[in-house]
């Protein structure tokens, strides 16, 4: 694959930016991951449609990600094209009880704007370091609430390059899952339906939620949030803790002593360190409780 030619082709085709051999460690909150052949920062839905058509015609693998906050990219990086939806398509508009946000807008920013406008429903999202696109795809959640409860509809580009608006009742939302994820659609815009609330009370709730995170999660080291999903009626953090994994290390990756479902990068960790630690934790929990933990983070690329 001649990546420089692909870069040239895409630059002629789209309005957004095209990067070549871009290190993914600069685009993930874990700060690990090798380079992707081509990274594209689209300007709008039309750019996304054009990239999909180009990749499909050229037979190139195409991936999509947002803030990289839930992502382990392996050390040899990614072959093909990555569309990054962050710091682009990031409009946020409020009208009455409705907030419309572009896929690249950061969820905490949307939550803060909603709260300032006296709109209730997104307070849980204040500390989730995700893009709207990622959060809507994964059905991100915290503090007992999740995105699907406040979504009205989502505008996506399908894998065939068609722009479609899907109402929430057709999105098959479940715990950290959705039809968008299953079918590989690319989110362009989300419409949130909120309810009127008292701005000062809502501000008090977001401060409480931020404090919870600061006290209970290791935010001072690069991490990807919860590594595993909570098994039904159980807590992955408690299981990993009780299996004795806290403080366990592989290279510069460590199971956090603050919250056992977090793996922190102490500085210069390789993806292989994190990957190895994930497997060790899984084995220990399986041996102790007979429970096979499922990953919440997504793994991409070549080892
Ligand atoms: N626990 C332990 N040891 C630990 C960590 C937790 O025993 O090291 C226990 C806690 O004492 C508590 C239980 O496990 O009884 C649950 O812990 P916590 O309240 O911290 O919540 P969580 O289920 O681990 C979930 C989300 C987080 C979100 C918090 C707060 C998942 C997988 N994780 O964590 O989301 O911030 O609730 O609402 O659903 C994320 O998805 O990346 C994420 C950080």
């Amino acid at each position: 694959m001649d990546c420089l030619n692909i870069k040239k082709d895409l630059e002629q085709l789209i309005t957004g930016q095209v990067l070549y051999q871009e290190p993914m460690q600069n685009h993930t909150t874990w700060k690990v991951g090798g380079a992707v052949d081509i990274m594209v920062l689209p300007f709008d839905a039309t750019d996304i449609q054009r990239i999909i058509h180009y990749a499909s015609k050229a037979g190139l693998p195409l991936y999509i990600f947002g803030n990289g906050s839930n992502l382990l990219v392996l050390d040899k990086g990614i072959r093909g094209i990555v569309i990054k939806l962050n710091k682009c398509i990031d409009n946020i508009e409020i009208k009455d009880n409705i907030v419309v946000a572009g896929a690249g807008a950061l969820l905490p920013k949307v939550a803060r704007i909603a709260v300032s406008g006296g709109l209730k429903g997104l307070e849980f999202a204040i500390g989730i370091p995700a893009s709207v696109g990622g959060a809507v795809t994964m059905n991100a959640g915290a503090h007992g609430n999740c995105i699907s409860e406040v979504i009205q509809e989502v505008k996506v580009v399908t894998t065939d390059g068609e722009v479609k608006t899907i109402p929430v009742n057709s999105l098959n939302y479940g715990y950290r899952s959705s039809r968008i994820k299953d079918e590989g659609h690319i989110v362009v815009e989300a419409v949130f339906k909120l309810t009127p609330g008292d701005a000062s009370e809502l501000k008090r709730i977001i401060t409480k939620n931020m404090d919870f995170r600061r006290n209970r999660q290791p935010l001072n080291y690069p991490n990807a949030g919860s590594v595993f999903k909570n098994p039904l009626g159980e807590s992955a953090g408690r299981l990993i803790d009780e299996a004795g994994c806290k403080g366990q290390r592989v290279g510069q990756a460590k199971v956090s002593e603050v919250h056992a479902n977090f793996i922190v990068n102490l500085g210069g960790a390789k993806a292989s360190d994190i990957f190895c630690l994930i497997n060790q934790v899984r084995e220990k929990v399986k041996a102790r409780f007979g429970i096979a933990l499922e990953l919440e983070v997504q793994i991409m690329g070549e080892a």
Side-chain angles (χ1 to χ4, degrees), residues 142-143 175-176 212-213 216-217 226 230 235 238 241 246 259-260 296:
H143 309 288
Y175 173 58
R176 305 290 184 268
F212 176 93
R213 285 220 168 214
R216 304 270 290 268
Q217 300 180 358
S226 299
N230 284 336
S235 154
R238 188 188 68 79
D241 190 349
K246 269 189 172 173
H259 195 301
E296 172 166 322

mmCIF file with all atom_site columns, all heavy atoms in Angstrom, residues 142-143 175-176 212-213 216-217 226 230 235 238 241 246 259-260 296, ligand 1:
data_model
loop_
_atom_site.group_PDB
_atom_site.id
_atom_site.type_symbol
_atom_site.label_atom_id
_atom_site.label_alt_id
_atom_site.label_comp_id
_atom_site.label_asym_id
_atom_site.label_entity_id
_atom_site.label_seq_id
_atom_site.pdbx_PDB_ins_code
_atom_site.Cartn_x
_atom_site.Cartn_y
_atom_site.Cartn_z
_atom_site.occupancy
_atom_site.B_iso_or_equiv
_atom_site.pdbx_formal_charge
_atom_site.auth_seq_id
_atom_site.auth_comp_id
_atom_site.auth_asym_id
_atom_site.auth_atom_id
_atom_site.pdbx_PDB_model_num
ATOM   1   N N   . ALA A 1 142 ? -22.335 6.431  33.761 1.00 0.00 ? 142 ALA A N   1
ATOM   2   C CA  . ALA A 1 142 ? -21.703 6.627  35.072 1.00 0.00 ? 142 ALA A CA  1
ATOM   3   C C   . ALA A 1 142 ? -22.801 6.995  36.059 1.00 0.00 ? 142 ALA A C   1
ATOM   4   O O   . ALA A 1 142 ? -23.883 7.454  35.641 1.00 0.00 ? 142 ALA A O   1
ATOM   5   C CB  . ALA A 1 142 ? -20.657 7.736  35.022 1.00 0.00 ? 142 ALA A CB  1
ATOM   6   N N   . HIS A 1 143 ? -22.527 6.782  37.342 1.00 0.00 ? 143 HIS A N   1
ATOM   7   C CA  . HIS A 1 143 ? -23.438 7.177  38.422 1.00 0.00 ? 143 HIS A CA  1
ATOM   8   C C   . HIS A 1 143 ? -24.863 6.652  38.211 1.00 0.00 ? 143 HIS A C   1
ATOM   9   O O   . HIS A 1 143 ? -25.846 7.329  38.498 1.00 0.00 ? 143 HIS A O   1
ATOM   10  C CB  . HIS A 1 143 ? -23.453 8.717  38.573 1.00 0.00 ? 143 HIS A CB  1
ATOM   11  C CG  . HIS A 1 143 ? -22.073 9.276  38.676 1.00 0.00 ? 143 HIS A CG  1
ATOM   12  N ND1 . HIS A 1 143 ? -21.292 9.122  39.799 1.00 0.00 ? 143 HIS A ND1 1
ATOM   13  C CD2 . HIS A 1 143 ? -21.310 9.958  37.784 1.00 0.00 ? 143 HIS A CD2 1
ATOM   14  C CE1 . HIS A 1 143 ? -20.115 9.684  39.592 1.00 0.00 ? 143 HIS A CE1 1
ATOM   15  N NE2 . HIS A 1 143 ? -20.089 10.196 38.385 1.00 0.00 ? 143 HIS A NE2 1
ATOM   16  N N   . TYR A 1 175 ? -26.238 -2.385 27.763 1.00 0.00 ? 175 TYR A N   1
ATOM   17  C CA  . TYR A 1 175 ? -25.114 -1.969 28.603 1.00 0.00 ? 175 TYR A CA  1
ATOM   18  C C   . TYR A 1 175 ? -23.841 -1.888 27.752 1.00 0.00 ? 175 TYR A C   1
ATOM   19  O O   . TYR A 1 175 ? -23.351 -2.909 27.272 1.00 0.00 ? 175 TYR A O   1
ATOM   20  C CB  . TYR A 1 175 ? -24.944 -2.948 29.768 1.00 0.00 ? 175 TYR A CB  1
ATOM   21  C CG  . TYR A 1 175 ? -23.722 -2.713 30.620 1.00 0.00 ? 175 TYR A CG  1
ATOM   22  C CD1 . TYR A 1 175 ? -23.508 -1.496 31.258 1.00 0.00 ? 175 TYR A CD1 1
ATOM   23  C CD2 . TYR A 1 175 ? -22.774 -3.703 30.795 1.00 0.00 ? 175 TYR A CD2 1
ATOM   24  C CE1 . TYR A 1 175 ? -22.383 -1.282 32.035 1.00 0.00 ? 175 TYR A CE1 1
ATOM   25  C CE2 . TYR A 1 175 ? -21.646 -3.501 31.580 1.00 0.00 ? 175 TYR A CE2 1
ATOM   26  C CZ  . TYR A 1 175 ? -21.454 -2.282 32.191 1.00 0.00 ? 175 TYR A CZ  1
ATOM   27  O OH  . TYR A 1 175 ? -20.324 -2.076 32.962 1.00 0.00 ? 175 TYR A OH  1
ATOM   28  N N   . ARG A 1 176 ? -23.372 -0.689 27.526 1.00 0.00 ? 176 ARG A N   1
ATOM   29  C CA  . ARG A 1 176 ? -22.182 -0.416 26.702 1.00 0.00 ? 176 ARG A CA  1
ATOM   30  C C   . ARG A 1 176 ? -22.303 -1.030 25.294 1.00 0.00 ? 176 ARG A C   1
ATOM   31  O O   . ARG A 1 176 ? -21.300 -1.460 24.711 1.00 0.00 ? 176 ARG A O   1
ATOM   32  C CB  . ARG A 1 176 ? -20.896 -0.938 27.369 1.00 0.00 ? 176 ARG A CB  1
ATOM   33  C CG  . ARG A 1 176 ? -20.655 -0.428 28.775 1.00 0.00 ? 176 ARG A CG  1
ATOM   34  C CD  . ARG A 1 176 ? -20.287 1.056  28.796 1.00 0.00 ? 176 ARG A CD  1
ATOM   35  N NE  . ARG A 1 176 ? -19.979 1.466  30.156 1.00 0.00 ? 176 ARG A NE  1
ATOM   36  C CZ  . ARG A 1 176 ? -20.884 1.975  31.008 1.00 0.00 ? 176 ARG A CZ  1
ATOM   37  N NH1 . ARG A 1 176 ? -22.141 2.168  30.619 1.00 0.00 ? 176 ARG A NH1 1
ATOM   38  N NH2 . ARG A 1 176 ? -20.518 2.312  32.222 1.00 0.00 ? 176 ARG A NH2 1
ATOM   39  N N   . PHE A 1 212 ? -16.465 12.685 43.120 1.00 0.00 ? 212 PHE A N   1
ATOM   40  C CA  . PHE A 1 212 ? -16.479 11.217 43.189 1.00 0.00 ? 212 PHE A CA  1
ATOM   41  C C   . PHE A 1 212 ? -15.319 10.671 42.355 1.00 0.00 ? 212 PHE A C   1
ATOM   42  O O   . PHE A 1 212 ? -14.548 9.837  42.798 1.00 0.00 ? 212 PHE A O   1
ATOM   43  C CB  . PHE A 1 212 ? -17.817 10.689 42.661 1.00 0.00 ? 212 PHE A CB  1
ATOM   44  C CG  . PHE A 1 212 ? -17.904 9.189  42.605 1.00 0.00 ? 212 PHE A CG  1
ATOM   45  C CD1 . PHE A 1 212 ? -18.439 8.470  43.661 1.00 0.00 ? 212 PHE A CD1 1
ATOM   46  C CD2 . PHE A 1 212 ? -17.430 8.488  41.491 1.00 0.00 ? 212 PHE A CD2 1
ATOM   47  C CE1 . PHE A 1 212 ? -18.511 7.073  43.609 1.00 0.00 ? 212 PHE A CE1 1
ATOM   48  C CE2 . PHE A 1 212 ? -17.499 7.102  41.432 1.00 0.00 ? 212 PHE A CE2 1
ATOM   49  C CZ  . PHE A 1 212 ? -18.044 6.398  42.488 1.00 0.00 ? 212 PHE A CZ  1
ATOM   50  N N   . ARG A 1 213 ? -15.199 11.160 41.149 1.00 0.00 ? 213 ARG A N   1
ATOM   51  C CA  . ARG A 1 213 ? -14.128 10.686 40.260 1.00 0.00 ? 213 ARG A CA  1
ATOM   52  C C   . ARG A 1 213 ? -12.757 10.988 40.847 1.00 0.00 ? 213 ARG A C   1
ATOM   53  O O   . ARG A 1 213 ? -11.874 10.136 40.849 1.00 0.00 ? 213 ARG A O   1
ATOM   54  C CB  . ARG A 1 213 ? -14.223 11.374 38.897 1.00 0.00 ? 213 ARG A CB  1
ATOM   55  C CG  . ARG A 1 213 ? -15.321 10.829 38.081 1.00 0.00 ? 213 ARG A CG  1
ATOM   56  C CD  . ARG A 1 213 ? -14.929 10.686 36.626 1.00 0.00 ? 213 ARG A CD  1
ATOM   57  N NE  . ARG A 1 213 ? -15.963 9.891  36.003 1.00 0.00 ? 213 ARG A NE  1
ATOM   58  C CZ  . ARG A 1 213 ? -15.769 9.019  35.026 1.00 0.00 ? 213 ARG A CZ  1
ATOM   59  N NH1 . ARG A 1 213 ? -14.588 8.847  34.528 1.00 0.00 ? 213 ARG A NH1 1
ATOM   60  N NH2 . ARG A 1 213 ? -16.755 8.324  34.530 1.00 0.00 ? 213 ARG A NH2 1
ATOM   61  N N   . ARG A 1 216 ? -12.122 8.605  43.776 1.00 0.00 ? 216 ARG A N   1
ATOM   62  C CA  . ARG A 1 216 ? -12.212 7.147  43.611 1.00 0.00 ? 216 ARG A CA  1
ATOM   63  C C   . ARG A 1 216 ? -11.492 6.620  42.377 1.00 0.00 ? 216 ARG A C   1
ATOM   64  O O   . ARG A 1 216 ? -11.428 5.412  42.178 1.00 0.00 ? 216 ARG A O   1
ATOM   65  C CB  . ARG A 1 216 ? -13.686 6.736  43.520 1.00 0.00 ? 216 ARG A CB  1
ATOM   66  C CG  . ARG A 1 216 ? -14.542 7.175  44.688 1.00 0.00 ? 216 ARG A CG  1
ATOM   67  C CD  . ARG A 1 216 ? -14.568 6.145  45.785 1.00 0.00 ? 216 ARG A CD  1
ATOM   68  N NE  . ARG A 1 216 ? -15.301 4.966  45.381 1.00 0.00 ? 216 ARG A NE  1
ATOM   69  C CZ  . ARG A 1 216 ? -16.611 4.781  45.599 1.00 0.00 ? 216 ARG A CZ  1
ATOM   70  N NH1 . ARG A 1 216 ? -17.308 5.715  46.194 1.00 0.00 ? 216 ARG A NH1 1
ATOM   71  N NH2 . ARG A 1 216 ? -17.181 3.669  45.238 1.00 0.00 ? 216 ARG A NH2 1
ATOM   72  N N   . GLN A 1 217 ? -10.981 7.519  41.539 1.00 0.00 ? 217 GLN A N   1
ATOM   73  C CA  . GLN A 1 217 ? -10.347 7.041  40.306 1.00 0.00 ? 217 GLN A CA  1
ATOM   74  C C   . GLN A 1 217 ? -8.962  7.674  40.138 1.00 0.00 ? 217 GLN A C   1
ATOM   75  O O   . GLN A 1 217 ? -8.753  8.819  40.535 1.00 0.00 ? 217 GLN A O   1
ATOM   76  C CB  . GLN A 1 217 ? -11.251 7.367  39.099 1.00 0.00 ? 217 GLN A CB  1
ATOM   77  C CG  . GLN A 1 217 ? -12.621 6.696  39.210 1.00 0.00 ? 217 GLN A CG  1
ATOM   78  C CD  . GLN A 1 217 ? -13.545 6.990  38.046 1.00 0.00 ? 217 GLN A CD  1
ATOM   79  O OE1 . GLN A 1 217 ? -13.198 7.741  37.142 1.00 0.00 ? 217 GLN A OE1 1
ATOM   80  N NE2 . GLN A 1 217 ? -14.732 6.407  38.070 1.00 0.00 ? 217 GLN A NE2 1
ATOM   81  N N   . SER A 1 226 ? -12.602 2.472  33.014 1.00 0.00 ? 226 SER A N   1
ATOM   82  C CA  . SER A 1 226 ? -12.813 1.072  33.378 1.00 0.00 ? 226 SER A CA  1
ATOM   83  C C   . SER A 1 226 ? -12.310 0.171  32.263 1.00 0.00 ? 226 SER A C   1
ATOM   84  O O   . SER A 1 226 ? -12.716 0.325  31.113 1.00 0.00 ? 226 SER A O   1
ATOM   85  C CB  . SER A 1 226 ? -14.299 0.799  33.581 1.00 0.00 ? 226 SER A CB  1
ATOM   86  O OG  . SER A 1 226 ? -14.810 1.599  34.618 1.00 0.00 ? 226 SER A OG  1
ATOM   87  N N   . ASN A 1 230 ? -18.697 -4.260 34.005 1.00 0.00 ? 230 ASN A N   1
ATOM   88  C CA  . ASN A 1 230 ? -19.175 -4.893 35.233 1.00 0.00 ? 230 ASN A CA  1
ATOM   89  C C   . ASN A 1 230 ? -20.025 -6.103 34.845 1.00 0.00 ? 230 ASN A C   1
ATOM   90  O O   . ASN A 1 230 ? -20.997 -5.954 34.095 1.00 0.00 ? 230 ASN A O   1
ATOM   91  C CB  . ASN A 1 230 ? -20.022 -3.920 36.051 1.00 0.00 ? 230 ASN A CB  1
ATOM   92  C CG  . ASN A 1 230 ? -19.183 -2.881 36.771 1.00 0.00 ? 230 ASN A CG  1
ATOM   93  O OD1 . ASN A 1 230 ? -17.999 -3.104 37.039 1.00 0.00 ? 230 ASN A OD1 1
ATOM   94  N ND2 . ASN A 1 230 ? -19.781 -1.749 37.095 1.00 0.00 ? 230 ASN A ND2 1
ATOM   95  N N   . SER A 1 235 ? -19.326 -6.135 40.461 1.00 0.00 ? 235 SER A N   1
ATOM   96  C CA  . SER A 1 235 ? -18.457 -5.014 40.140 1.00 0.00 ? 235 SER A CA  1
ATOM   97  C C   . SER A 1 235 ? -17.083 -5.555 39.762 1.00 0.00 ? 235 SER A C   1
ATOM   98  O O   . SER A 1 235 ? -16.449 -6.278 40.551 1.00 0.00 ? 235 SER A O   1
ATOM   99  C CB  . SER A 1 235 ? -18.354 -4.118 41.372 1.00 0.00 ? 235 SER A CB  1
ATOM   100 O OG  . SER A 1 235 ? -17.141 -3.420 41.320 1.00 0.00 ? 235 SER A OG  1
ATOM   101 N N   . ARG A 1 238 ? -14.366 -4.577 42.259 1.00 0.00 ? 238 ARG A N   1
ATOM   102 C CA  . ARG A 1 238 ? -14.333 -5.346 43.508 1.00 0.00 ? 238 ARG A CA  1
ATOM   103 C C   . ARG A 1 238 ? -13.718 -6.730 43.260 1.00 0.00 ? 238 ARG A C   1
ATOM   104 O O   . ARG A 1 238 ? -12.887 -7.197 44.032 1.00 0.00 ? 238 ARG A O   1
ATOM   105 C CB  . ARG A 1 238 ? -15.749 -5.490 44.083 1.00 0.00 ? 238 ARG A CB  1
ATOM   106 C CG  . ARG A 1 238 ? -15.798 -6.101 45.469 1.00 0.00 ? 238 ARG A CG  1
ATOM   107 C CD  . ARG A 1 238 ? -17.223 -6.413 45.914 1.00 0.00 ? 238 ARG A CD  1
ATOM   108 N NE  . ARG A 1 238 ? -17.837 -7.497 45.148 1.00 0.00 ? 238 ARG A NE  1
ATOM   109 C CZ  . ARG A 1 238 ? -17.598 -8.796 45.352 1.00 0.00 ? 238 ARG A CZ  1
ATOM   110 N NH1 . ARG A 1 238 ? -16.753 -9.176 46.282 1.00 0.00 ? 238 ARG A NH1 1
ATOM   111 N NH2 . ARG A 1 238 ? -18.204 -9.704 44.612 1.00 0.00 ? 238 ARG A NH2 1
ATOM   112 N N   . ASP A 1 241 ? -9.989  -6.420 42.750 1.00 0.00 ? 241 ASP A N   1
ATOM   113 C CA  . ASP A 1 241 ? -9.408  -6.058 44.041 1.00 0.00 ? 241 ASP A CA  1
ATOM   114 C C   . ASP A 1 241 ? -9.295  -7.313 44.916 1.00 0.00 ? 241 ASP A C   1
ATOM   115 O O   . ASP A 1 241 ? -8.212  -7.659 45.424 1.00 0.00 ? 241 ASP A O   1
ATOM   116 C CB  . ASP A 1 241 ? -10.331 -4.999 44.687 1.00 0.00 ? 241 ASP A CB  1
ATOM   117 C CG  . ASP A 1 241 ? -9.736  -4.358 45.919 1.00 0.00 ? 241 ASP A CG  1
ATOM   118 O OD1 . ASP A 1 241 ? -8.712  -4.853 46.397 1.00 0.00 ? 241 ASP A OD1 1
ATOM   119 O OD2 . ASP A 1 241 ? -10.317 -3.354 46.388 1.00 0.00 ? 241 ASP A OD2 1
ATOM   120 N N   . LYS A 1 246 ? -4.453  -5.543 42.785 1.00 0.00 ? 246 LYS A N   1
ATOM   121 C CA  . LYS A 1 246 ? -4.047  -4.124 42.933 1.00 0.00 ? 246 LYS A CA  1
ATOM   122 C C   . LYS A 1 246 ? -2.525  -4.016 43.040 1.00 0.00 ? 246 LYS A C   1
ATOM   123 O O   . LYS A 1 246 ? -1.900  -4.781 43.783 1.00 0.00 ? 246 LYS A O   1
ATOM   124 C CB  . LYS A 1 246 ? -4.694  -3.527 44.184 1.00 0.00 ? 246 LYS A CB  1
ATOM   125 C CG  . LYS A 1 246 ? -6.028  -2.876 43.906 1.00 0.00 ? 246 LYS A CG  1
ATOM   126 C CD  . LYS A 1 246 ? -6.539  -2.108 45.104 1.00 0.00 ? 246 LYS A CD  1
ATOM   127 C CE  . LYS A 1 246 ? -7.781  -1.317 44.737 1.00 0.00 ? 246 LYS A CE  1
ATOM   128 N NZ  . LYS A 1 246 ? -8.404  -0.692 45.898 1.00 0.00 ? 246 LYS A NZ  1
ATOM   129 N N   . HIS A 1 259 ? -8.250  2.338  42.156 1.00 0.00 ? 259 HIS A N   1
ATOM   130 C CA  . HIS A 1 259 ? -9.426  1.621  41.635 1.00 0.00 ? 259 HIS A CA  1
ATOM   131 C C   . HIS A 1 259 ? -8.931  0.459  40.790 1.00 0.00 ? 259 HIS A C   1
ATOM   132 O O   . HIS A 1 259 ? -8.258  0.668  39.778 1.00 0.00 ? 259 HIS A O   1
ATOM   133 C CB  . HIS A 1 259 ? -10.304 2.556  40.810 1.00 0.00 ? 259 HIS A CB  1
ATOM   134 C CG  . HIS A 1 259 ? -11.682 2.006  40.555 1.00 0.00 ? 259 HIS A CG  1
ATOM   135 N ND1 . HIS A 1 259 ? -11.893 0.816  39.897 1.00 0.00 ? 259 HIS A ND1 1
ATOM   136 C CD2 . HIS A 1 259 ? -12.911 2.469  40.893 1.00 0.00 ? 259 HIS A CD2 1
ATOM   137 C CE1 . HIS A 1 259 ? -13.198 0.574  39.824 1.00 0.00 ? 259 HIS A CE1 1
ATOM   138 N NE2 . HIS A 1 259 ? -13.831 1.565  40.425 1.00 0.00 ? 259 HIS A NE2 1
ATOM   139 N N   . ALA A 1 260 ? -9.282  -0.758 41.216 1.00 0.00 ? 260 ALA A N   1
ATOM   140 C CA  . ALA A 1 260 ? -8.704  -1.952 40.596 1.00 0.00 ? 260 ALA A CA  1
ATOM   141 C C   . ALA A 1 260 ? -9.125  -2.168 39.144 1.00 0.00 ? 260 ALA A C   1
ATOM   142 O O   . ALA A 1 260 ? -8.461  -2.903 38.413 1.00 0.00 ? 260 ALA A O   1
ATOM   143 C CB  . ALA A 1 260 ? -9.071  -3.179 41.430 1.00 0.00 ? 260 ALA A CB  1
ATOM   144 N N   . GLU A 1 296 ? -14.191 -3.748 28.466 1.00 0.00 ? 296 GLU A N   1
ATOM   145 C CA  . GLU A 1 296 ? -14.947 -2.550 28.076 1.00 0.00 ? 296 GLU A CA  1
ATOM   146 C C   . GLU A 1 296 ? -14.120 -1.760 27.053 1.00 0.00 ? 296 GLU A C   1
ATOM   147 O O   . GLU A 1 296 ? -14.654 -1.203 26.111 1.00 0.00 ? 296 GLU A O   1
ATOM   148 C CB  . GLU A 1 296 ? -15.261 -1.664 29.287 1.00 0.00 ? 296 GLU A CB  1
ATOM   149 C CG  . GLU A 1 296 ? -15.868 -0.346 28.849 1.00 0.00 ? 296 GLU A CG  1
ATOM   150 C CD  . GLU A 1 296 ? -16.508 0.469  29.952 1.00 0.00 ? 296 GLU A CD  1
ATOM   151 O OE1 . GLU A 1 296 ? -17.128 -0.097 30.851 1.00 0.00 ? 296 GLU A OE1 1
ATOM   152 O OE2 . GLU A 1 296 ? -16.379 1.703  29.883 1.00 0.00 ? 296 GLU A OE2 1
HETATM 153 N N1  . LIG B 2 .   ? -14.494 -1.466 44.427 1.00 0.00 ? 1   LIG B N1  1
HETATM 154 C C1  . LIG B 2 .   ? -13.591 -2.223 45.153 1.00 0.00 ? 1   LIG B C1  1
HETATM 155 N N2  . LIG B 2 .   ? -12.269 -2.064 44.854 1.00 0.00 ? 1   LIG B N2  1
HETATM 156 C C2  . LIG B 2 .   ? -11.823 -1.221 43.906 1.00 0.00 ? 1   LIG B C2  1
HETATM 157 C C3  . LIG B 2 .   ? -12.762 -0.468 43.182 1.00 0.00 ? 1   LIG B C3  1
HETATM 158 C C4  . LIG B 2 .   ? -14.109 -0.594 43.468 1.00 0.00 ? 1   LIG B C4  1
HETATM 159 O O1  . LIG B 2 .   ? -13.947 -3.005 46.025 1.00 0.00 ? 1   LIG B O1  1
HETATM 160 O O2  . LIG B 2 .   ? -10.611 -1.144 43.683 1.00 0.00 ? 1   LIG B O2  1
HETATM 161 C C5  . LIG B 2 .   ? -15.933 -1.566 44.774 1.00 0.00 ? 1   LIG B C5  1
HETATM 162 C C6  . LIG B 2 .   ? -16.450 -0.236 45.322 1.00 0.00 ? 1   LIG B C6  1
HETATM 163 O O3  . LIG B 2 .   ? -16.238 -0.132 46.691 1.00 0.00 ? 1   LIG B O3  1
HETATM 164 C C7  . LIG B 2 .   ? -17.908 -0.285 44.960 1.00 0.00 ? 1   LIG B C7  1
HETATM 165 C C8  . LIG B 2 .   ? -17.941 -1.124 43.690 1.00 0.00 ? 1   LIG B C8  1
HETATM 166 O O4  . LIG B 2 .   ? -16.674 -1.786 43.600 1.00 0.00 ? 1   LIG B O4  1
HETATM 167 O O5  . LIG B 2 .   ? -18.631 -0.975 45.953 1.00 0.00 ? 1   LIG B O5  1
HETATM 168 C C9  . LIG B 2 .   ? -18.189 -0.287 42.435 1.00 0.00 ? 1   LIG B C9  1
HETATM 169 O O6  . LIG B 2 .   ? -17.148 0.674  42.286 1.00 0.00 ? 1   LIG B O6  1
HETATM 170 P P1  . LIG B 2 .   ? -17.425 2.165  41.742 1.00 0.00 ? 1   LIG B P1  1
HETATM 171 O O7  . LIG B 2 .   ? -18.501 2.782  42.567 1.00 0.00 ? 1   LIG B O7  1
HETATM 172 O O8  . LIG B 2 .   ? -16.114 2.855  41.656 1.00 0.00 ? 1   LIG B O8  1
HETATM 173 O O9  . LIG B 2 .   ? -18.056 1.988  40.330 1.00 0.00 ? 1   LIG B O9  1
HETATM 174 P P2  . LIG B 2 .   ? -17.653 1.044  39.114 1.00 0.00 ? 1   LIG B P2  1
HETATM 175 O O10 . LIG B 2 .   ? -18.779 0.095  38.886 1.00 0.00 ? 1   LIG B O10 1
HETATM 176 O O11 . LIG B 2 .   ? -16.292 0.437  39.275 1.00 0.00 ? 1   LIG B O11 1
HETATM 177 C C10 . LIG B 2 .   ? -18.755 2.469  37.221 1.00 0.00 ? 1   LIG B C10 1
HETATM 178 C C11 . LIG B 2 .   ? -18.364 2.767  35.805 1.00 0.00 ? 1   LIG B C11 1
HETATM 179 C C12 . LIG B 2 .   ? -17.408 3.957  35.779 1.00 0.00 ? 1   LIG B C12 1
HETATM 180 C C13 . LIG B 2 .   ? -18.056 5.158  36.443 1.00 0.00 ? 1   LIG B C13 1
HETATM 181 C C14 . LIG B 2 .   ? -18.427 4.763  37.883 1.00 0.00 ? 1   LIG B C14 1
HETATM 182 C C15 . LIG B 2 .   ? -19.133 5.878  38.629 1.00 0.00 ? 1   LIG B C15 1
HETATM 183 C C16 . LIG B 2 .   ? -18.382 0.617  34.606 1.00 0.00 ? 1   LIG B C16 1
HETATM 184 C C17 . LIG B 2 .   ? -17.576 -0.537 34.085 1.00 0.00 ? 1   LIG B C17 1
HETATM 185 N N3  . LIG B 2 .   ? -17.703 1.587  35.238 1.00 0.00 ? 1   LIG B N3  1
HETATM 186 O O12 . LIG B 2 .   ? -17.580 2.071  37.904 1.00 0.00 ? 1   LIG B O12 1
HETATM 187 O O13 . LIG B 2 .   ? -17.191 4.273  34.413 1.00 0.00 ? 1   LIG B O13 1
HETATM 188 O O14 . LIG B 2 .   ? -17.187 6.263  36.469 1.00 0.00 ? 1   LIG B O14 1
HETATM 189 O O15 . LIG B 2 .   ? -19.311 3.614  37.840 1.00 0.00 ? 1   LIG B O15 1
HETATM 190 O O16 . LIG B 2 .   ? -20.423 5.991  38.245 1.00 0.00 ? 1   LIG B O16 1
HETATM 191 O O17 . LIG B 2 .   ? -19.586 0.638  34.416 1.00 0.00 ? 1   LIG B O17 1
HETATM 192 C C18 . LIG B 2 .   ? -15.786 3.930  32.547 1.00 0.00 ? 1   LIG B C18 1
HETATM 193 O O18 . LIG B 2 .   ? -16.778 3.396  32.029 1.00 0.00 ? 1   LIG B O18 1
HETATM 194 O O19 . LIG B 2 .   ? -14.701 4.048  31.958 1.00 0.00 ? 1   LIG B O19 1
HETATM 195 C C19 . LIG B 2 .   ? -15.910 4.401  33.920 1.00 0.00 ? 1   LIG B C19 1
HETATM 196 C C20 . LIG B 2 .   ? -14.888 4.905  34.590 1.00 0.00 ? 1   LIG B C20 1
#
